[in-house]
Amino acid sequence: MNKELFKNILTTQIPIAWIAGVRLESWEENKVSTRVKYGFLNQNPFKSMFWAVQGMAAEFSSGLMANAKISKSGEDISMLVLGMQSKYLKKAVGKIVFTCEDGEKIDAAIKEAIETKKGVSLNVTSRGVDEEGDIVSEFQFTWTFKLRDKK
């Protein structure tokens, strides 16, 4: 995925994320990073980034990678967030980069869903790091993958 395709997805399908400032930072097969910069449109009353904006950026780092891996599999697989947990460790100001490095785990879950034809749940982590290299927040998403029935 390139930055232009990411922009097209956000602006046409999830414009609130684009408005809030979520952008693609980098894309590797098993590691995806998104970024968001603290500003007027994504602030909370405590002069830091609103937790939901951090959550959007974190979810995209794992979900975009999972979606690309599903496409690569050639199978018709549904994916859905079943749950989410988060921790906030430092005030989120400046540029925050959210990275998910769980691509191999996602590959294994997709493979299992294809082989067993049953739903598979997987916990993946995305960490938000500020410009000083400190972890600002950490999100754990429970993704589910299920092979759709052929009609």
Side-chain angles (χ1 to χ4, degrees):
M1 171 157 314
N2 62 44
K3 293 179 182 187
E4 195 60 34
L5 180 57
F6 181 76
K7 177 183 177 182
N8 286 339
I9 290 169
L10 288 191
T11 57
T12 61
Q13 298 176 23
I14 314 160
I16 193 68
W18 185 258
I19 292 166
V22 177
R23 304 293 186 266
L24 181 63
E25 177 77 3
S26 65
W27 185 285
E28 298 172 31
E29 179 151 349
N30 292 312
K31 178 181 173 183
V32 172
S33 297
T34 57
R35 73 178 184 277
V36 63
K37 188 171 181 180
Y38 168 71
F40 178 75
L41 293 176
N42 62 29
Q43 69 181 338
N44 63 29
F46 311 107
K47 297 186 176 150
S48 65
M49 192 179 301
F50 186 53
W51 69 269
V53 173
Q54 295 178 62
M56 281 192 291
E59 182 184 356
F60 280 121
S61 69
S62 64
L64 288 171
M65 182 169 30
N67 194 46
K69 289 175 176 291
I70 287 170
S71 292
K72 190 175 177 183
S73 79
E75 297 289 345
D76 188 10
I77 298 171
S78 67
M79 61 182 274
L80 181 68
V81 172
L82 185 63
M84 188 271 298
Q85 293 183 332
S86 57
K87 290 191 273 188
Y88 304 92
L89 307 165
K90 185 180 174 189
K91 197 172 190 171
V93 294
K95 181 175 96 169
I96 312 298
V97 176
F98 290 88
T99 302
C100 178
E101 301 182 71
D102 292 335
E104 290 177 4
K105 288 171 57 175
I106 293 168
D107 280 330
I110 291 169
K111 182 179 178 188
E112 183 182 343
I114 293 167
E115 289 174 353
T116 65
K117 296 180 176 35
K118 294 183 179 179
V120 175
S121 293
L122 173 68
N123 292 323
V124 298
T125 301
S126 181
R127 287 179 186 85
V129 177
D130 67 13
E131 294 163 296
E132 285 77 44
D134 296 327
I135 297 174
V136 171
S137 57
E138 184 175 281
F139 289 79
Q140 185 175 54
F141 295 94
T142 303
W143 284 100
T144 60
F145 303 97
K146 186 171 187 225
L147 189 65
R148 288 189 176 104
D149 292 330
K150 294 184 179 179
K151 295 178 180 180

